[in-house]
Amino acid sequence: VSATRTPQSITAVPGSVTVIMRQEIEIQTALTATRDLGEMLPKLVPGLAVGSQSMDSYSQTLRGRAVSILIDGVPQSVNPTNFRDFMRIDPSAIERIEVIRGATAIYGEGATGGIINIITRKAAKGETHYTTDVGANVSTTHAGDSLGGNIAQYISGKGDGFDYTVNAAISQTGGLFDAEGDRTMPGADDIGSFADSKTLTLLGKIGWDIGNQRVALSANHYGFEQDSSYTPDPASGADK
């Protein structure tokens, strides 16, 4: 477990810990209409509130308390009410996820419920390694309006004391519908569902081994665009 700042065995951490490996992430990605970790993780992490298929994580708490989200140990928000933290990285770039329950201030404010540390993939040994992930999803009852898909490309290489990884992913989400077949509204003020949206994530890492030490530089870019013909009509109380 690395979210304690100093690597420790799970048995040595004074708290409840859940480690989600890449294989579990891949299974949930295949079963989820969006590539939103906020929707996948509650199915794997006991105590994590279920997501609302929306662009905010206000209601997603760990054991009823706020959670701090990290990527490779870097906090993604300094304000616990900030949203979209789960969206900043594509599942194809993740090696494992560590969840440590219990209040802590080791990474600053916002972790009264615990820490979720998203650890990105490491470079594969040997020659340059390529992995391509392509997927599509559609509702069987609204095929024309719900078609979505994604493509992700992972590249890594490792030489003598030097390694690098690059991960790029583009995803398209079509219309989303509830169990009764009604469309879930994209909404206003960026608090609605992911319906009719496009997401772009880019992650790059470079690392050097210097003696017994390692120096790494990473950069992450996230872009989101939504273009829908539907929005709630608050004046009438009906969706249009």
Side-chain angles (χ1 to χ4, degrees):
V1 177
S2 61
T4 54
R5 284 198 185 272
T6 56
Q8 296 184 37
S9 168
I10 291 180
T11 58
V13 177
S16 178
V17 178
T18 299
V19 179
I20 303 169
M21 302 307 294
R22 175 157 184 79
Q23 183 178 7
E24 298 174 277
I25 297 170
E26 290 177 341
I27 293 173
Q28 288 301 320
T29 302
L31 298 175
T32 306
T34 68
R35 298 177 71 83
D36 174 33
L37 289 174
E39 186 177 349
M40 302 178 198
L41 289 184
K43 302 171 185 177
L44 302 171
V45 180
L48 182 63
V50 177
S52 58
Q53 281 193 334
S54 66
M55 289 179 283
D56 67 75
S57 58
Y58 300 136
S59 62
Q60 285 202 265
T61 58
L62 189 59
R63 293 178 172 175
R65 299 178 181 273
V67 61
S68 178
I69 302 170
L70 319 176
I71 297 180
D72 286 335
V74 179
Q76 297 304 294
S77 293
V78 295
N79 187 331
T81 61
N82 280 356
F83 51 86
R84 301 184 184 175
D85 289 343
F86 281 125
M87 298 175 60
R88 297 178 189 272
I89 188 167
D90 189 79
S92 62
I94 300 173
E95 182 65 33
R96 70 183 188 276
I97 299 174
E98 299 174 352
V99 182
I100 301 180
R101 297 167 183 80
T104 178
I106 193 172
Y107 287 96
E109 65 170 335
T112 55
I115 291 174
I116 297 179
N117 190 25
I118 302 170
I119 300 172
T120 57
R121 298 170 67 178
K122 296 181 179 180
K125 296 181 179 180
E127 298 180 356
T128 303
H129 177 75
Y130 301 89
T131 302
T132 303
D133 178 13
V134 180
N137 57 76
V138 66
S139 169
T140 56
T141 58
H142 300 84
D145 294 330
S146 63
L147 181 63
N150 68 276
I151 181 170
Q153 181 65 58
Y154 171 77
I155 305 173
S156 72
K158 190 171 185 178
D160 186 13
F162 171 83
D163 62 80
Y164 65 91
T165 61
V166 178
N167 193 90
I170 301 175
S171 64
Q172 168 74 48
T173 302
L176 299 177
F177 301 85
D178 62 23
E180 296 181 351
D182 297 326
R183 180 183 290 270
T184 60
M185 292 294 102
D189 299 326
D190 294 334
I191 58 173
S193 75
F194 295 111
D196 306 314
S197 65
K198 296 179 181 178
T199 303
L200 168 67
T201 57
L202 300 172
L203 174 68
K205 296 196 303 179
I206 301 176
W208 296 269
D209 294 324
I210 305 175
N212 295 327
Q213 303 296 319
R214 174 177 170 78
V215 178
L217 174 66
S218 65
N220 186 40
H221 170 79
Y222 158 75
F224 178 88
E225 178 181 347
Q226 187 173 52
D227 184 8
S228 179
S229 301
Y230 299 86
T231 189
D233 184 358
S236 65
D239 295 337
K240 292 187 177 182

